[in-house]
Amino acid sequence: MQAEVDGKIIELSEAGWLLNLDEWSEALAHEIAKNEKITELTQEHWDIINLAREYFVENGVVAEPRLFSKLMKKKFGDDRSSQKYIYSLFPTGLIKCANKIAGLPRPKGCS
């Protein structure tokens, strides 16, 4: 699978995961989001994407959903920390959707 961003072809896995993490950009995030049936990335989407990327940079791994909910609660409060909230923005959830759009590696056991 491939995505074209600014005239450059970016290689994605068959399931749409970024193969070279260094090629991630906000423009690529928009392309991956389209593949995930998300037509627009709002500020609420970007808050999750950016927090997921920050956690990965600091820890070298993607945050598991329960931990991520705690991080969201600490940063954004109760209203924006539930799994239900995250699924409302990313239909297949943090692991399968938000992390993919954020250009993070595919966790083991994730399709």
Side-chain angles (χ1 to χ4, degrees), residues 7 34 38-39 43 53 55 71 88 92 99 101 107:
K34 288 178 194 173
I38 298 172
T39 56
Q43 185 58 51
R53 289 186 60 79
Y55 184 86
L71 296 172
S88 75
T92 55
N99 285 343
I101 294 169

Side-chain angles (χ1 to χ4, degrees), residues 87-105:
Y87 273 89
S88 75
L89 296 170
F90 298 96
T92 55
L94 172 70
I95 300 299
K96 280 192 168 184
C97 192
N99 285 343
K100 188 184 291 187
I101 294 169
L104 300 178

